[in-house]
Amino acid sequence: AKVKITELRDKSQAELTQTLDQYKRELLDLKVQQVAGAAAAKSSKIRDMRKNIARVLTVITQQNRDTVRAKYAGKKHIPKDLRAKKTRAMRRALTKYELSRKTERQQKKDIHFGRRQYAIKA
């Protein structure tokens, strides 16, 4: 009863929506049988069916995200839900390039007033 994710990944978007509809219909039938007073074994089947639906929806979402990611590859701006999460502070921190930059004034100071070196007595 448990569907394999690898099998789902091989399917196209249309096939996935078809299997999703099929699983939803089966779940509906099982719930109707449960209300009618069927055996407790049906409750485990209901659970399996719900998990199968979740698996199909997960694969659909992953495929959609992959297509959008491919569409925005190499572009300057990508959608926020595809960006790296990290933390708010990390997202706002200066990049390595920005950290290494120096003002013209600071560059002149560095040239004319270099680091002082002291002789250490042995």
Side-chain angles (χ1 to χ4, degrees):
K2 185 178 173 184
V3 68
K4 298 267 191 278
I5 288 272
T6 50
E7 292 171 13
L8 292 175
R9 289 211 172 100
D10 296 336
K11 293 183 177 183
S12 69
Q13 197 80 16
E15 290 172 321
L16 285 171
T17 50
Q18 230 173 14
T19 54
L20 181 65
D21 291 339
Q22 176 192 339
Y23 286 145
K24 282 185 175 179
R25 263 187 255 108
E26 285 181 38
L27 180 65
L28 187 71
D29 293 342
L30 287 169
K31 283 190 173 183
V32 167
Q33 289 172 9
Q34 186 186 36
V35 169
K42 295 285 184 211
S43 62
S44 65
K45 279 188 177 180
I46 288 174
R47 182 181 182 278
D48 289 342
M49 205 47 60
R50 282 185 23 241
K51 300 293 177 182
N52 285 344
I53 290 170
R55 285 186 192 97
V56 173
L57 286 170
T58 300
V59 171
I60 289 171
T61 308
Q62 286 174 344
Q63 286 182 354
N64 289 343
R65 286 173 69 89
D66 287 344
T67 55
V68 172
R69 223 180 231 117
K71 181 183 168 190
Y72 283 96
K75 299 256 170 63
K76 185 175 180 182
H77 300 291
I78 61 169
K80 285 191 174 177
D81 61 329
L82 298 180
R83 294 179 195 171
K85 179 82 169 116
K86 298 183 182 177
T87 61
R88 193 165 191 259
M90 286 173 77
R91 290 194 302 267
R92 280 152 182 74
L94 294 175
T95 62
K96 286 184 177 180
Y97 173 72
E98 291 168 339
L99 282 168
S100 67
R101 298 285 310 254
K102 285 186 181 177
T103 61
E104 198 175 327
R105 183 185 175 106
Q106 186 61 49
Q107 287 171 353
K108 285 180 184 175
K109 277 186 183 177
D110 291 346
I111 291 167
H112 296 297
F113 304 100
R115 190 179 186 119
R116 291 184 181 169
Q117 294 177 340
Y118 299 98
I120 299 171
K121 216 176 214 181

